[in-house]
Amino acid sequence: MIEHAVLGVFDDFDKAEEARAALLADGFDAAALELKVHNDEAGPVEGNFYVGNTPGESEQHVYDSNYVAVQRAQCMLVVDANDAATAARAGAIMARFGARDPNQLSGVRR
């Protein structure tokens, strides 16, 4: 029975994949790891539109998309751990790759 689940949120899929590979290399079972990617067909929540002109070029009516769309917290890696020590080990490994705690992102305090 799984008593502990560790969730790490990543902004970048490649970092989430690297964390997953590091967990596997550390001996975690692939069946205990689940990588979820959340995409929204409407686009990213922050920076959903490419707009803007580079200063100096707007007089020439040359459009330049100088803003970049950013999609945050799109990947979640879940690790099922059997004990607190294993959960802590998983959390430390994921933190090396930039994982963030979803409770901290939402402002939830437990």
Side-chain angles (χ1 to χ4, degrees):
M1 180 168 126
I2 303 302
E3 295 185 20
H4 302 274
V6 181
L7 293 99
V9 175
F10 297 84
D11 293 339
D12 183 272
F13 177 76
D14 291 334
K15 290 294 182 185
E17 276 285 309
E18 289 175 22
R20 184 179 183 284
L23 288 162
L24 291 170
D26 195 67
F28 283 85
D29 184 7
L33 308 177
E34 183 178 3
L35 179 57
K36 299 177 181 184
V37 179
H38 302 281
N39 286 323
D40 185 345
E41 69 275 359
V45 174
E46 180 180 327
N48 200 17
F49 300 96
Y50 289 96
V51 297
N53 283 310
T54 301
E57 289 189 32
S58 59
E59 305 87 38
Q60 301 167 5
H61 305 290
V62 176
Y63 181 77
D64 181 27
S65 60
N66 58 343
Y67 295 96
V68 178
V70 176
Q71 188 161 351
R72 299 202 188 282
Q74 69 173 354
C75 303
M76 183 172 20
L77 182 56
V78 181
V79 180
D80 291 332
N82 291 322
D83 56 60
T86 303
R89 196 172 96 229
I93 291 169
M94 289 193 297
R96 289 194 334 238
F97 296 92
R100 295 177 291 150
D101 181 343
N103 291 328
Q104 291 176 344
L105 294 174
S106 67
V108 173
R109 300 254 188 253
R110 293 183 189 250

